[in-house]
Amino acid sequence: YGPATYDLFFEKPRLLAPPFYTEEVPERVDFRGNVLTPINVEAARFAIRRLKKKGVQSVAVCFLFSFLNPDHELKIKELFAAEFSEARLSLSYEVLPQIREFYRMSTTIINAYIQPVMANYLGSLENRMREMGISTPKLYIMQSNGGVSTFAGSAKKPVATVLSGPAGGVIASMGTCEGVGINNIITFDMGGTSCDVALIHQGNPVITTQGKINLRPIALPMLDIHTVSAGGGTIARLDAVGGLQVGPDSAGADPGPVCYDRGGENITITDANMVIGVLDPDHFLGGRMKLNKPKAERLLEERIAKPLTMHLMEAAHGVLDIINVKMEEAIKAVSSQRGYDIRDFTLVAFGGGGPMHAGRMALDLGIPSVLIPLTPG
């Protein structure tokens, strides 16, 4: 549905659990939670052994009406403990006990997909923190809904943390603005690869129970954060017909922008900001890192300005104008397109790139005030 309906070249995202790693087990619970067909224990054991033989590390279990009657999923859990105890297990009943099996299954599979990595990372992080002398009894991780969870809870249900970084920015913005008496804010978080925006009305953030990560549905409560591919590393280039395109691909942290002088050959938003003088090449990171301005200017001239018969500064401003419009559209998506008067809000700009673009964008959109935290990065 949506724009993909009209996209002749649309490709569905790659399956996280391809058919080779998928097993079926006979069982059936009806829509009232009554058992129609008891789970076939021997078939379940055989399926578990097959998965073990295939080298699976993490397993998602999703039965049709398990949110009404979890007995069959719990039986699978019991069989895994006996047959394949080293596997990590995600039961849909525990991850998302609600109706609509497609969204429940998608959420459970994503949880199973990231669980081994997150569990290992959080375990290593906790050990390292204890070695450093941090003796706090409970350690917490930010969740996508703006709340927190223990390390153990996040290791078991990591899908609840997939937007925790942007959510942390929203919660921090609320705290900052509360101290100065501002209730209506639009958060503008621009980092290295993406831009995340959210709206807070009368001190309350907008919450959603439906989200997507790379076209994959996640049906958990989360702050309603709109994300676009626009960050300091976003690449500017000419397309096949000679038009200037900015994004969605990124130079990333390695090699990064051209001016970082670490092998990057693609002009980025950071390079354009340096060319127009927003960034000082001699005082980046407080002077700890020198930027190669001549190299960025040369490549911007060769690849964008000269082919478009533009002056170097015009080309740099053109790159920034395009990316600003994309980020402005994201702000409209959470504000004016939902019936809010954007003139009633303050733009809170943070992240490594947010404050560099906020002033121009506020003027373009008619936002009357901009707040930049003391340490926006």
Side-chain angles (χ1 to χ4, degrees):
Y1 58 91
T5 304
Y6 306 97
D7 185 356
L8 298 177
F9 302 100
F10 175 76
E11 292 185 13
K12 291 192 290 186
R14 178 179 60 85
L15 293 174
L16 297 181
F20 179 73
Y21 294 112
T22 302
E23 299 289 339
E24 296 182 6
V25 176
E27 66 86 39
R28 181 50 57 98
V29 172
D30 69 12
F31 65 96
R32 293 187 179 91
N34 300 316
V35 176
L36 295 182
T37 304
I39 188 169
N40 188 320
V41 175
E42 286 308 310
R45 281 202 180 97
F46 182 69
I48 292 170
R49 290 166 184 169
R50 279 170 56 90
L51 291 174
K52 183 176 183 180
K53 189 175 181 181
K54 292 175 182 178
V56 168
Q57 297 179 10
S58 184
V59 179
V61 181
C62 185
F63 291 150
L64 189 60
F65 289 107
S66 61
F67 67 96
L68 290 174
N69 184 344
D71 288 351
H72 289 173
E73 286 195 359
L74 292 175
K75 184 62 178 179
I76 291 291
K77 185 176 184 178
E78 178 185 320
L79 294 173
F80 261 94
E83 300 283 344
F84 191 10
S85 59
E86 60 269 31
R88 298 189 181 277
L89 200 60
S90 296
L91 303 182
S92 74
Y93 164 72
E94 295 177 342
V95 174
L96 185 67
Q98 69 180 41
I99 196 171
R100 309 221 178 280
E101 71 276 3
F102 173 74
Y103 296 99
R104 177 159 41 92
M105 181 175 66
S106 175
T107 306
T108 305
I109 288 174
I110 292 172
N111 191 77
Y113 185 77
I114 62 178
Q115 191 178 36
V117 175
M118 277 289 288
N120 291 337
Y121 172 77
L122 291 175
S124 299
L125 177 61
E126 181 170 8
N127 291 337
R128 179 66 179 136
M129 293 175 75
R130 298 308 185 196
E131 290 172 1
M132 294 170 62
I134 298 175
S135 57
T136 308
K138 286 284 182 94
L139 300 173
Y140 295 96
I141 294 290
M142 177 68 70
Q143 294 194 294
S144 303
N145 61 6
V148 295
S149 175
T150 63
F151 273 34
S154 295
K156 186 176 181 180
K157 192 175 177 180
V159 70
T161 70
V162 291
L163 285 176
S164 58
V170 174
I171 298 302
S173 298
M174 290 174 60
T176 300
C177 291
E178 185 178 348
V180 292
I182 300 174
N183 292 322
N184 293 340
I185 63 178
I186 296 172
T187 65
F188 170 47
D189 177 4
M190 182 182 180
T193 57
S194 66
C195 161
D196 304 295
V197 300
L199 183 137
I200 298 165
H201 182 246
Q202 298 299 325
N204 298 309
V206 180
I207 303 291
T208 181
T209 56
Q210 290 283 346
K212 285 188 177 182
I213 299 294
N214 194 21
L215 301 179
R216 296 179 172 90
I218 294 179
L220 286 172
M222 61 184 72
L223 295 182
D224 192 3
I225 299 170
H226 192 80
T227 302
V228 292
S229 297
T234 299
I235 295 172
R237 67 192 183 286
L238 299 184
D239 60 21
V241 295
L244 179 57
Q245 298 290 332
V246 185
D249 45 337
S250 173
D254 184 16
V258 171
C259 62
Y260 283 10
D261 212 12
R262 295 184 175 178
E265 295 293 327
N266 294 304
I267 294 297
T268 67
I269 302 303
T270 299
D271 296 310
N273 273 314
M274 190 191 59
V275 168
I276 69 170
V278 172
L279 292 175
D280 187 335
D282 296 323
H283 292 88
F284 195 70
L285 290 181
R288 297 194 302 274
M289 180 178 177
K290 302 297 181 183
L291 301 182
N292 191 337
K293 185 175 182 179
K295 183 179 178 181
E297 290 177 333
R298 176 174 58 81
L299 287 180
L300 180 60
E301 177 77 36
E302 291 176 359
R303 298 186 179 182
I304 295 177
K306 189 176 290 184
L308 295 177
T309 63
M310 299 174 72
H311 186 273
L312 176 65
M313 296 298 287
E314 289 179 323
H317 278 290
V319 169
L320 297 176
D321 286 344
I322 290 174
I323 205 66
N324 282 350
V325 167
K326 290 187 176 183
M327 295 189 290
E328 288 164 12
E329 289 301 316
I331 290 175
K332 291 178 185 177
V334 301
S335 57
S336 55
Q337 292 178 11
R338 296 182 179 177
Y340 296 99
D341 189 340
I342 204 168
R343 295 169 297 184
D344 295 336
F345 290 81
T346 294
L347 186 65
V348 180
F350 55 96
M356 292 192 292
H357 294 253
R360 179 75 260 173
M361 291 169 58
L363 288 173
D364 291 344
L365 293 169
I367 300 176
S369 56
V370 176
L371 187 150
I372 298 174
L374 183 62
T375 53

